[in-house]
Each structure stands twice: as structure tokens, then as C-alpha cells.
Amino acid sequence: MGLLFVIEGVDGAGKNTLARRLVSAWECDGLHIARIGFPRYDRSVHADLAAEALHGEHGDTAGSVHAMALLFALDRRDAVDEIRKLLSHNDVVLLDRYVASNAAYTAARLEQTADGGAVEWIRALEFDRFGVPIPDIQILLDVPVALAAERAAARESADAARTRDAYERDGSLQSRTSAVYGALAAANWVSPWHVVTADVDPDRLAAELTNQPSGEPRVTP
Ligand code: TMP
Ligand code: MG
């Protein structure tokens, strides 16, 4: 059974770059790695509907915090079998965003903290009811929100297809999301967290993550 790792962080934090570097480090060590990014665009109708809503389609869907969270959660529910299968065939399954994204953004949209009702609603919905696998370690890529916002804006000017969505244009939402993420990590929400900054050495991080015993006790909320 492989290890399930998750990279979390606000929009523009650099999760994709970190994920690619971790994968090359592990592959250099001969490990078998699978990677999935959530939302699963072009593969999940729920993910596509969520993205379209955040770009102004589907009426008032994006205005509903809970409707958006349900779309993201249903995308993950449909991926449960795939994740389990990948875990049985690989040493590591690396996820770019997962349940904690839903917890952090939903709480931030509702102006709640990490110990509020939204985070618990997501935990119960996704882990208890949908049975999505619990990650072994959740990595928070914690970069200053101003830097992340610059990156998201730069992506938009470099590529017309990557216009910023409603969440990326909302600087205040990104700041609140960053604060909720910090609190989730500090509380080891659902499973152990590992906080890294933008200058993290991906080779060292890769080694640390796979050397960590997987059967250690989990911190529950
Ligand atoms: P993306 O930027 O990774 O493509 O994700 C789109 C937005 O959706 C991003 O601002 C984070 C947010 N999101 C949630 O609110 N809940 C989730 O479960 C996921 C995966 C993303
Ligand atoms: Mg984004």
C-alpha cells in the first residue's frame, strides 16, 4: 500500500512546481509515483461545472458557498476507487489539492475559522460519508499571499486561456484562506501536516516524506 501525500496552498503558491520536483526526486530513487490534481478538470463533470461557475457561468452557483463545496466534494467522491487503485500499485500517490482545499476555501468564504462549522461539515461529508481516503501527510506550501497573487496575475497575462477565476481575483478571500490553512496545519487536521515555505529544498522534503513511518497515530479533530 502506497503513501498518500497532499500538497495544499492558496492560488499561485507554486504547488504544481513543488509537485513536479518531488516526483522527480522520488523517481530518481526508483519509487513508483502517481499524481492527481483536484479539481480533475476535463475528467470530472463536477470539476468542470465548478470551474465554469467560477468563470461566471451557471447563474448563481458560484454565489452559493455550499453548492461550490458540494461540486468539489463530488469530484473527489468519484475519484475514491481510482485513488485506492493507485495506492495499491504505487509507492506514493501525490495529490495537488484535496479535502483541505474545500475546508479552507469554504471556511474562508463564510468568514469562519478552522474550528468553525464549515470545516467540520466538509470533514464529515468527505471523509465520513463519502469515504475518501485519509492522507498520510498533508503538506502546506505556505507562501506570502502577495507573492501568490502576483503569480496568479502573471499566469493570466502570459496565457489568455488562464483568466483568473472569482477566487483568484478576491485578494481578501486568499488571505483568509491562507489563515485557515495555517490553523488546519497547526491542529494537524485529520492527519499530520508538514508546513514548508517557497524556498524548501524539494529533494530533502521528498526524502523526509518517504522516510516518515506511515503507521504513526493520527491526530483527529
Ligand atoms: P485550482 O485553482 O486548483 O484550479 O482550483 C480552483 C479553485 O477552487 C481554487 O481557488 C481552490 C478552490 N477549491 C475549493 O474551494 N475546494 C476544493 O475542493 C478544490 C479542489 C478547490
Ligand atoms: Mg486557481
Side-chain angles (χ1 to χ4, degrees):
M1 199 64 176
L3 292 164
L4 185 62
F5 297 145
V6 175
I7 302 182
E8 292 285 355
V10 296
D11 292 284
K15 297 181 292 299
N16 188 38
T17 307
L18 178 60
R20 271 191 283 111
R21 293 190 176 151
L22 287 173
V23 170
S24 7
W26 284 320
E27 285 181 343
C28 278
D29 288 341
L31 297 180
H32 291 99
I33 313 294
R35 201 181 142 185
I36 308 178
F38 287 100
R40 295 177 305 154
Y41 300 123
D42 299 326
R43 298 186 51 210
S44 153
V45 68
H46 300 109
D48 290 341
L49 288 170
E52 289 156 15
L54 289 183
H55 283 97
E57 294 178 49
H58 307 305
D60 54 8
T61 304
S64 165
V65 181
H66 292 86
M68 289 304 300
L70 288 172
L71 287 174
F72 292 122
L74 286 167
D75 171 19
R76 268 183 297 275
R77 181 178 180 275
D78 286 347
V80 168
D81 289 347
E82 181 187 355
I83 296 171
R84 290 200 193 288
K85 197 165 169 203
L86 289 173
L87 282 169
S88 66
H89 289 99
N90 289 277
D91 299 302
V92 171
V93 176
L94 182 64
L95 306 177
D96 186 336
R97 290 199 183 283
Y98 198 48
V99 182
S101 283
N102 228 6
Y105 282 83
T106 303
R109 286 195 68 186
L110 295 169
E111 308 211 1
Q112 291 185 11
T113 53
D115 51 11
V119 167
E120 175 52 22
W121 174 63
I122 293 290
R123 191 201 61 73
L125 177 74
E126 300 209 37
F127 290 117
D128 293 350
R129 183 165 179 184
F130 291 171
V132 310
I134 291 180
D136 288 284
I137 298 176
Q138 307 185 66
I139 303 149
L140 174 59
L141 178 51
D142 188 21
V143 309
V145 281
L147 177 66
E150 265 172 40
R151 286 218 197 101
R155 276 203 299 237
E156 178 176 68
S157 25
D159 181 352
R162 292 189 73 172
T163 53
R164 284 178 301 163
D165 63 29
Y167 290 178
E168 288 166 342
R169 278 185 271 108
D170 188 342
S172 155
L173 173 67
Q174 298 290 331
S175 300
R176 295 197 305 276
T177 302
S178 176
V180 179
Y181 267 134
L184 292 174
N188 281 316
W189 182 70
V190 172
S191 61
W193 284 64
H194 194 111
V195 182
V196 300
T197 51
D199 58 1
V200 64
D201 175 346
D203 295 330
R204 260 178 64 179
L205 177 62
E208 270 174 43
L209 290 169
T210 40
N211 286 338
Q212 192 134 344
S214 57
E216 68 187 44
R218 293 195 168 112
V219 180
T220 42

